[in-house]
Amino acid sequence: LRGAVGPNGSWFKWHRGLQTAGMLVALVGFAAGIASVSVHGGTHFSGAHQVIGLVVVIGMVFQPLNAVMRPHKPADDSPPPTKRRVWEMLHKGLGWSLLALSVLQVALGLQLTTSYEPAWLLAGSLGLYLAFLVLVCVGAAVAVARSRMAVGKRAGKDEDAELADPAVLGAKASSTE
């Protein structure tokens, strides 16, 4: 997302907004699942769907707490300290893992709806789920492409600045003579 939505930290605003919206949707689904099991007289957290849902919710709650504990980047352009790199790996790794688990979670949940809901609701839910997956994949592809273009532009800009530097031009001219 960093290279896809613009400069000056706007990626973080998008990231935080999308994560908050996703967490709210997941928490509503979690509450609905608990209520459904209670109404139908089932046992809470007895199957794969229920256990994965609990793991995803706990992980989602941990992510913002993890973000608050984030070590800051150095003020200069020096490489980030080890604590920061470890934090980034943990935060990103947990985030991508939770996304993968949530995809599995929704698929398992759709299988459960066949015993409770009419067929049209299952078909509609599956359609929405597939549309969501397509949007996630397209969004990720666009973000990666824009990020690569931004990196290419920065690299080109640095190269151009170096070429225009008289000291560099003089050094290159003297090295070719």
Side-chain angles (χ1 to χ4, degrees):
L1 202 73
R2 186 179 310 249
V5 294
N8 301 329
S10 62
W11 74 270
F12 179 73
K13 293 174 185 171
W14 277 93
H15 174 73
R16 186 176 50 203
L18 291 171
Q19 298 310 310
T20 300
M23 183 186 294
L24 291 174
V25 168
L27 289 174
V28 167
F30 187 72
I34 289 175
S36 176
V37 168
S38 296
V39 167
H40 291 95
T43 305
H44 290 287
F45 310 112
S46 60
H49 176 73
Q50 294 87 351
V51 171
I52 291 171
L54 181 61
V55 168
V56 168
V57 167
I58 290 170
M60 282 188 329
V61 169
F62 178 72
Q63 279 292 71
L65 298 175
N66 182 20
V68 169
M69 298 183 305
R70 175 192 60 179
H72 293 286
K73 289 182 180 179
D76 56 4
D77 285 338
S78 62
T82 303
K83 282 183 180 179
R84 173 69 181 217
R85 289 193 313 269
V86 168
W87 176 86
E88 284 179 0
M89 287 189 310
L90 175 66
H91 185 69
K92 291 175 184 179
L94 181 58
W96 284 110
S97 298
L98 291 172
L99 181 62
L101 281 173
S102 69
V103 169
L104 176 61
Q105 175 66 359
V106 171
L108 291 171
L110 287 173
Q111 290 178 347
L112 292 175
T113 61
T114 58
S115 60
Y116 295 116
E117 307 297 342
W120 65 266
L121 185 56
L122 177 61
S125 298
L126 184 58
L128 287 173
Y129 175 61
L130 291 174
F132 167 76
L133 287 179
V134 167
L135 285 174
V136 167
C137 291
V138 168
V142 168
V144 167
R146 290 190 65 179
S147 178
R148 287 185 179 166
M149 285 190 301
V151 167
K153 285 180 183 176
R154 283 194 299 269
K157 200 181 268 186
D158 293 341
E159 211 171 63
D160 293 343
E162 182 181 322
L163 290 174
D165 185 357
V168 172
L169 287 174
K172 286 186 179 180
S174 63
S175 68
T176 59
E177 295 172 359

